Every structure is written in C-alpha cells, then in structure tokens.
Amino acid sequence: MDVSYDWNRLTPPKSLREIEARWSNRLNPLDFSGVWRFRNLLPFAPDDKVITIGEGQTLLNCADGVAKYAGLNAGSLFLQYEGLNPSGSFKDNGMTAAITHANMVGAKAAACASTGNTSASLAIYASATQQFQVFVFVGSGKIAYGKLSQALDYGAKTLQLLGDFDDAMAQVLQVCAKSKIYLCNSVNPFRLEGQKTIIFRILEALRWEVPDWIVVPGGNLGNSSAFGKALSELKQLGLIDRIPRLAIINAAGANTLHRLTAEGLCWNNGRPDKELIARFYAQMDAEKRKADTLATAIQINRPVNLHKALRALDATDGIVREVSDQQILDAKAQIGAGGFGCEPASAASVAGAKLLRAEGVIAPSDRVVCILTGHQLKDPNLTVAYHTPAKQESRDLLAAAHVTEMPFANQPIVVENQLDAILSAIDAVKCN
Ligand code: F0G
C-alpha cells in the first residue's frame, strides 16, 4: 500500500521557505515537531488527531574529521543525527505518523516486530500518550540491550520470539490481521509518510540546496523507500530542481537488496522480476541462510519494503553496496571520535560512502549526507568491546563476526589509585 495525494486539491507549500515560518509558531506542538511542521507535505491527518511527542528535532552537522576518513574534501560530508529523536532513533519520524493514523481509525492496540528501535519508538508513543496497548515482537538474542531496556521500561508487552527478526515480522503480520491490532511496521505506508521529513529537514539545513548523495543503511528498507517518495514528490511539486542520488548500504551479512540488484533486479516500471525474488528466497531457505551481522538493527534478510526501495533506486538513479562488520565498526569509531556518535547500523552509511569514494563513484568534492539512524547509547556492549581489545571477551564477541582489527580503539588507561601515577599517566598521553 502506498499513500498518494491529489495535490491539486491540497495546499502544498509554494516554496520550502514557507515551512520555516512555522518555527516561529513553535508553542503549537505541531509546529514544534520536526515532522508535523511539514504537514502540508504529508497531509493525511486533521490537526486534532495528530499525536506528537516533539520528534524530529535533529541536526545536520558538517563533519570534517569523518570526511577525511571517508576520503572526502573538508566541507563535503554531512551527518544527519537522527539519534537525537525522543526514543533515540529515526523511527520516531515514522511512528508519530503511524500512531496518528491509528488514532484516526480508533485503534486501541498496536504491534510491531523489531530489531529494537521500532519497538522502542512504538513503546514510547504508547507510554507518553496512554492511548494504546502495545505488543512488540523481538527475536531472541538479536536485540541490543539499550533497545530492549526501552521497550521494557516504557511498559510494552514484549514477546521474545524463539527466532529472528524475519520470523517475528512474518508472525506479527498474521497476528495483526487476525486480532484487529494496528500494525506499526514500515509496511504501514503512514510510517513512510513521517520518514519523508528526514529529507525535508536535511534540505532545510542545506538551505534547500540539493546535495549530490544521500547515503542510508538498508534494513527493512523503509527509510530508503520514504526518501525516494519524498524526493519524487518535491520534484513533482517543483520545490526542488534535481534529485540527489541515493546510496543504500546493506551489511554484508544481511545483503538481500545488494545481491538481488547485482543479479539485475530493478523497478522495471512497477513490474520487478517476481520470479527472481521468489527464486532468491527459495534458495535462501534451502540453504537455511539467516541474516548475520553485529549491526543488529539491519540484521534482516526479507526486507518488507523491497519493491518500494526499487522504486526509490529508480527515481534517484540510486545504487546499492554492502559493507563488512569490520568496515562498519571502524567507521563507527571514527564517527564517534568526530561527532555525536551512532549505533553500529548507522555507521554503515559512512562505511558505504568511504567505499563509494574509493571506487571513484563519489567524487571528493561531492556533497554527501550520511544518515546516522540511531543513537550511540543503543548498543554500548559492542562499542565497549571495540575499544577494549585487550579483553578476551571483547575479542571473542568481535571475532565471531570476523572483526579482528580495532585500529581506532580508544582503550581505557588502567591506573593506580595514586596522584603521581595519575599525573604521569596523563603526561604520557597529553597532546600539548
Ligand atoms: N538503522 C537503524 C538504527 C535501524 O534501527 C534500522 C531498522 C535501520 C537502520 C534500517 O532502516 O528498515 O528503514 O531500512 N530498524 C528496524 C527496527 C528494522 O525494527 O528497529 P530500514
């Protein structure tokens, strides 16, 4: 399902600058929200039905340290920090829209399957509004602790399925169909309407100058699909004159989109080769191949938005790449050292930009926006493991995913509880 607007009967903004004026009216929660102040570009909800918790106050930051790492010129790389959302990930952009629609149709219960962030997001909206009972389905041992702790603390009924995310997704689809529970995964097209605003905020921060590239991690492919739709609609409305290229980055251990596009799968005017997809999944099942990456947020082998992502690739002259867990964790350490930090899956964007730069696909002077989808504190175990390679348990955790080098480890310095020892430890590492 897709949300499609008859713009002739609506009042989209005539210029994107019009939207900026809303900020001066920010005592109105709808104008404060980084999603709903763009509501003329996602006009499906009456104002009095909107449920907002102040999502979308996020930041686009020029990050020269990270640009250097990726091989880009100073001033060329921008990081979009979606971890600054209330539940710590980009999901809140979409969840406010889905929950608003749930409110419009009078739903009393909502559910999702999740690798962690969707569940945290749905749970925070339920606890903040007290309007819905929430069921979240997570795979066993496949969810970062920060995210599980959120779902539990916000009071969501958490079903820990003895399976992985793909299993949980298949089950929640059936459960929602049978039990009249409102489904909040990104198969829900209203989720994607909210996620379009990430693009609007990026363009706003760039003073409406379209960048050359938008690089995004690919999991269930909701973001990629929403970005393609946002850009196509802005172009259709004459609000931008060109469309940036989209680069979708899979983790190598969860690379369905990368493999399928490498085999030639494309949008094909709305008729992608369904047989190719069916054959691919049949083989995956025959091999009992499960998604496997330390970037647990994108540990997904059956992306529900595959078709829409193909449409987005078509609309943006987009490309797909895969990166290893080693590349992801190295990029993550560089992002942490060069800015606000992010969780592992998010770092696939910078690892992907670095790869595309090395391939010569991205030029050093191209303006590149990498989406940092989730907050650094979502998955502290992995971060600490990377930075403490001297510990056997750290090495074991990382080696299981073939991460054997920690070139950017920032190891804690063990020091005696004694002033002179502390001072000499500081002297030994002091820069000036
Ligand atoms: N980055 C993070 C931090 C995520 O949590 C996800 C998806 C993605 C990237 C991939 O985005 O699905 O739009 O391609 N997390 C989902 C979840 C699947 O359940 O939290 P996508």
Side-chain angles (χ1 to χ4, degrees):
M1 273 210 290
D2 212 9
V3 176
S4 171
Y5 302 107
D6 181 355
W7 294 109
N8 292 326
R9 297 173 56 197
L10 293 160
T11 49
K14 291 195 183 52
S15 80
L16 287 169
R17 281 178 201 280
E18 232 178 70
I19 294 162
E20 291 174 26
R22 288 198 185 273
W23 184 234
S24 61
N25 192 34
R26 60 188 172 275
L27 286 182
N28 173 0
L30 270 73
D31 290 327
F32 178 80
S33 165
V35 171
W36 296 105
R37 63 194 175 84
F38 296 97
R39 57 194 175 280
N40 286 1
L41 291 168
L42 47 146
F44 70 86
D47 283 7
D48 63 346
K49 293 288 182 190
V50 168
I51 294 183
T52 171
I53 57 168
E55 57 288 318
Q57 306 304 324
T58 62
L59 186 69
L60 184 80
N61 230 29
C62 187
D64 283 349
V66 185
K68 193 171 174 204
Y69 172 70
L72 286 154
N73 292 349
S76 291
L77 181 75
F78 298 81
L79 301 175
Q80 173 70 9
Y81 285 98
E82 287 300 313
L84 301 180
N85 270 294
S87 79
S89 87
F90 76 92
K91 301 285 178 181
D92 297 346
N93 295 286
M95 203 53 75
T96 182
I99 281 294
T100 291
H101 183 253
N103 192 30
M104 286 165 67
V105 299
K108 290 283 169 266
C112 68
S114 185
T115 55
N117 281 326
T118 304
S119 52
S121 182
L122 176 56
I124 198 177
Y125 278 89
S127 80
T129 62
Q130 299 283 307
Q131 251 174 273
F132 305 90
Q133 187 180 17
V134 156
F135 299 94
V136 305
F137 292 52
V138 297
S140 292
K142 303 278 186 182
I143 173 171
Y145 246 45
K147 305 174 189 182
L148 181 61
S149 73
Q150 287 180 288
L152 299 177
D153 212 35
Y154 294 137
K157 293 281 170 232
T158 304
L159 287 100
Q160 224 164 351
L161 203 80
L162 300 177
D164 66 5
F165 171 83
D166 292 313
D167 300 320
M169 187 70 236
Q171 294 293 0
V172 82
L173 282 168
Q174 297 190 63
V175 168
C176 286
K178 284 197 175 175
S179 317
K180 288 196 174 166
I181 296 177
Y182 188 91
L183 179 63
C184 287
N185 280 102
S186 53
V187 272
N188 178 332
F190 296 100
R191 271 271 311 271
L192 303 191
E193 288 306 292
Q195 284 169 220
K196 290 190 317 193
T197 63
I198 299 171
I199 290 291
F200 304 154
R201 293 198 300 274
I202 290 170
L203 291 174
E204 184 183 53
L206 292 174
R207 313 311 302 153
W208 312 113
E209 279 178 27
V210 178
D212 298 301
W213 290 93
I214 296 197
V215 191
V216 62
N220 233 355
L221 303 176
N223 254 351
S224 318
S225 305
F227 291 5
K229 187 169 191 284
L231 292 163
S232 301
E233 288 175 353
L234 289 178
K235 182 86 188 337
Q236 185 196 342
L237 290 168
L239 291 167
I240 54 173
D241 53 7
R242 72 182 177 90
I243 290 185
R245 294 186 71 185
L246 189 64
I248 307 177
I249 314 298
N250 275 161
N255 58 358
T256 295
L257 182 70
H258 181 249
R259 283 198 193 198
L260 280 171
T261 49
E263 284 185 37
L265 185 69
C266 62
W267 176 237
N268 191 27
N269 286 321
R271 282 185 299 280
D273 185 345
K274 287 189 181 152
E275 277 176 25
L276 174 60
I277 301 172
R279 264 201 319 275
F280 180 85
Y281 284 141
Q283 187 171 356
M284 191 160 83
D285 289 343
E287 290 171 6
K288 294 197 169 55
R289 191 152 48 79
K290 295 285 184 187
D292 187 17
T293 165
L294 287 176
T296 51
I298 51 174
Q299 190 163 249
I300 296 171
N301 261 356
R302 291 178 185 268
V304 295
N305 290 297
L306 178 61
H307 284 217
K308 286 182 186 171
L310 294 174
R311 182 175 65 178
L313 288 168
D314 186 68
T316 61
D317 189 19
I319 52 176
V320 185
R321 290 292 185 272
E322 62 174 0
V323 288
S324 68
D325 283 1
Q326 178 79 59
Q327 289 167 305
I328 288 175
L329 291 191
D330 289 346
K332 183 178 121 50
Q334 288 288 297
I335 295 163
F340 295 79
C342 64
E343 67 165 284
S346 313
S349 60
V350 168
K354 181 174 163 62
L355 175 69
L356 289 164
R357 176 63 212 100
E359 288 176 2
V361 177
I362 293 182
S365 58
D366 281 355
R367 291 221 304 176
V368 180
V369 176
C370 291
I371 315 294
L372 298 186
T373 44
H375 199 283
Q376 186 186 42
L377 296 178
K378 291 279 188 177
D379 192 352
N381 294 4
L382 212 47
T383 305
V384 172
Y386 185 93
H387 289 296
T388 55
K391 286 191 175 169
Q392 187 64 42
E393 58 185 290
S394 299
R395 289 200 302 276
D396 290 348
L397 173 66
L398 298 171
H402 309 291
V403 176
T404 50
E405 312 279 319
M406 290 65 136
F408 307 115
N410 178 27
Q411 306 199 48
I413 302 163
V414 180
V415 61
E416 294 290 338
N417 181 15
Q418 207 259 345
L419 183 58
D420 286 345
I422 296 170
L423 288 173
S424 58
I426 289 175
D427 277 345
V429 294
K430 219 166 154 203
C431 300
N432 46 42

